[in-house]
Amino acid sequence: ARLAEGLDTLDQKLQNACMRYDKQWKEHAAATGQKEAALEQKIAKASKHIGSNQKALQRRIQSGRVAMGNVAAKLDTVRDRLQHAEKKWMELNAAVRVNNLSDSSEACTTERSREEAQNSDGGD
């Protein structure tokens, strides 16, 4: 009878210990679950933040590409205007040279006419 009583006491202590450990395990699991949930929320929030940052960067990149396209178009316009101005300058420069040549040939003709007039006057 004493042995049976000792076994019952031991069995009761084992059940109490198991219930205590079971309770502690459930508390630990709950705390761990809460920590995991909190971490998952932080990860989700960070992912959302990263996603919005990525979208913002993509918008900035796109607007930068548009701006670069606008600058390239303006540069093309400036280049075209410079080429047109250069062409006009070369035309004007050529016209001035032709004008200078005709002026100098007229001057030469006028000078020769004077010399000839002086020579003919001096010969008389």
Side-chain angles (χ1 to χ4, degrees):
R2 230 173 154 193
L3 183 60
E5 218 177 272
L7 284 176
D8 285 341
T9 304
L10 185 60
D11 185 45
Q12 187 63 38
K13 286 183 180 180
L14 280 172
Q15 283 180 5
N16 288 343
C18 285
M19 287 182 359
R20 213 174 34 248
Y21 286 123
D22 189 45
K23 181 182 175 188
Q24 287 176 349
W25 173 252
K26 286 179 182 176
E27 288 173 356
H28 174 72
T32 302
Q34 288 173 351
K35 287 179 183 177
E36 286 177 0
L39 286 174
E40 286 175 6
Q41 284 178 342
K42 286 181 181 180
I43 289 169
K45 189 176 180 179
S47 294
K48 184 178 177 184
H49 190 64
I50 288 169
S52 65
N53 282 347
Q54 185 178 10
K55 288 176 186 174
L57 284 173
Q58 287 172 342
R59 284 192 302 270
R60 285 183 180 174
I61 288 168
Q62 184 59 34
S63 67
R65 285 182 181 148
V66 169
M68 284 175 29
N70 292 342
V71 168
K74 287 179 183 179
L75 287 174
D76 287 344
T77 302
V78 168
R79 186 193 66 228
D80 292 345
R81 287 180 181 170
L82 283 173
Q83 287 174 344
H84 180 73
E86 184 180 22
K87 181 180 174 187
K88 289 293 184 184
W89 171 255
M90 289 169 47
E91 290 173 1
L92 180 63
N93 201 10
V96 167
R97 277 195 227 128
V98 168
N99 192 25
N100 284 343
L101 287 175
S102 67
D103 284 351
S104 62
S105 69
E106 284 179 25
C108 288
T109 306
T110 306
E111 187 62 34
R112 282 190 199 139
S113 298
R114 280 192 211 138
E115 287 175 4
E116 288 174 1
Q118 285 178 355
N119 288 339
S120 65
D121 286 346
D124 282 352

